[in-house]
Amino acid sequence: VASTLLLVAGGFFGALYFRTRTSFFYWYSLALVLFAVGLICVLLQASVGSLLGWTGRSAKYLGGVYFLMAILAAARESRASDMGLNQTIAGFFRRHLDRLVDERTVALAEANEALRRDITDRKRAAEALRVSERKLLAFMESATEGFVIYDSDLNLLSINKTALEICPAGSTEENLRGKHMLDLAPGLKETGRYDEYVKVVKTGEPLFFDDIVPDPRFGDRRLSVHAFRAGDSLGIIFTDITDRKRAERTLQESEEKYRTIAETIPGIL
């Protein structure tokens, strides 16, 4: 146990020497290691006066010389600094500790600065995200098209004013938010469009319906719908083309009417 402690102590003082280049630590570490070697040799000797025993004694004698060298090195430093020997030796350790404290302080300051920059960047990113969200919401509210956003499970996240206009009377974003797509439009499952929306979320491939008739609860309307994946969510933009389709139907009926008249009155053209 004693030899192990001496070896550990010798390694410790050797490390101090390589960090401080102080001659006291150099001689002291060598002395401790030699004393440890001497103890080990004496413990392992087969008989008194063996070669191993004399090697151990020699190591301890040399270790004593190195202890003396360490004291002489400390004495020279003491005379140069005009301090007592005890104060000089204590100063060796204090300078090492001061250096460690300075290194740790610098490392801590760098870590704090990195953390400060990270927090600042996060705040800027959060603010940029809030600004983007406000711009998106403002755009959605002012758009003439209907905007609806569902989460990955197709629960409603957001709906703009234009989209609310085709919903049943009394519908608000607050009482619709969180509801599943099939709760809002049960008929989607039978039309096959619900499965198409699920596919958009899974694959990211956009989808376009030029002329659809929504659930009867939304009234007699015709819609043009564009569905796309936005992150993990489903975005739907639709345009109410009811008036356009009525106009097209009226024009078609008018053309058919005049064609019938032309066919029934010979020579009119």
Side-chain angles (χ1 to χ4, degrees):
V1 176
S3 58
T4 302
L5 293 176
L6 287 172
L7 285 173
V8 172
F12 172 74
F13 283 103
L16 289 181
Y17 165 72
F18 284 111
R19 292 181 63 89
T20 64
R21 295 299 176 178
T22 302
S23 58
F24 171 79
F25 291 139
Y26 173 77
W27 295 113
Y28 201 76
S29 63
L30 289 179
L32 290 172
V33 171
L34 286 172
F35 257 81
V37 172
L39 285 176
I40 294 173
C41 290
V42 171
L43 290 174
L44 295 179
Q45 67 179 345
S47 61
V48 178
S50 66
L51 178 61
L52 190 60
W54 280 107
T55 300
R57 292 185 182 87
S58 299
K60 288 194 288 184
Y61 294 151
L62 185 58
V65 173
Y66 285 168
F67 275 129
L68 180 60
M69 295 294 294
I71 297 300
L72 291 176
R76 286 196 300 270
E77 181 72 22
S78 175
R79 287 195 299 270
S81 59
D82 197 22
M83 292 190 303
L85 184 60
N86 291 338
Q87 292 177 324
T88 301
I89 295 175
F92 294 150
F93 292 96
R94 185 168 56 251
R95 284 197 296 270
H96 174 64
L97 291 175
D98 289 342
R99 184 174 300 170
L100 286 178
V101 170
D102 291 341
E103 291 175 356
R104 297 297 185 273
T105 301
V106 171
L108 182 59
E110 292 175 350
N112 286 338
E113 178 61 21
L115 180 61
R116 186 192 64 79
R117 287 195 299 267
D118 182 62
I119 292 174
T120 301
D121 292 343
R122 288 175 181 269
K123 287 182 178 180
R124 289 174 179 170
E127 180 60 26
L129 179 61
R130 284 193 292 269
V131 171
S132 298
E133 288 176 346
R134 286 196 295 268
K135 289 181 178 179
L136 176 60
L137 290 175
F139 170 74
M140 288 178 60
E141 287 303 314
S142 61
T144 56
E145 291 83 8
F147 280 83
V148 184
I149 299 177
Y150 293 91
D151 63 18
S152 57
D153 296 322
L154 298 185
N155 299 307
L156 185 70
L157 293 176
S158 181
I159 182 170
N160 73 340
K161 186 187 303 182
T162 302
L164 283 172
E165 291 176 356
I166 74 166
C167 294
S171 297
T172 64
E173 183 174 2
E174 287 72 22
N175 60 35
L176 295 180
R177 186 183 296 118
K179 291 187 176 181
H180 193 266
M181 179 182 286
L182 291 179
D183 294 330
L184 300 173
L188 281 179
K189 192 69 174 177
E190 286 71 24
T191 65
R193 291 199 299 274
Y194 174 78
D195 294 331
E196 294 290 338
Y197 290 141
V198 172
K199 184 179 178 181
V200 171
V201 175
K202 290 182 177 180
T203 66
E205 296 182 7
L207 183 66
F208 180 73
F209 297 109
D210 183 49
D211 181 15
I212 65 170
V213 178
D215 194 272
R217 69 177 67 187
F218 298 110
D220 183 18
R221 295 180 181 273
R222 311 291 285 272
L223 303 177
S224 175
V225 177
H226 179 208
F228 56 94
R229 187 172 70 183
D232 294 330
S233 305
L234 173 70
I236 296 178
I237 302 175
F238 66 83
T239 303
D240 190 340
I241 58 173
T242 304
D243 292 338
R244 191 189 81 189
K245 288 297 180 180
R246 286 173 180 170
E248 290 175 355
R249 185 167 60 250
T250 300
L251 178 61
Q252 183 179 6
E253 291 173 352
S254 178
E255 289 176 347
E256 292 176 354
K257 177 180 178 182
Y258 283 110
R259 187 180 299 111
T260 301
I261 293 175
E263 291 174 351
T264 56
I265 303 178
I268 192 171
L269 297 177

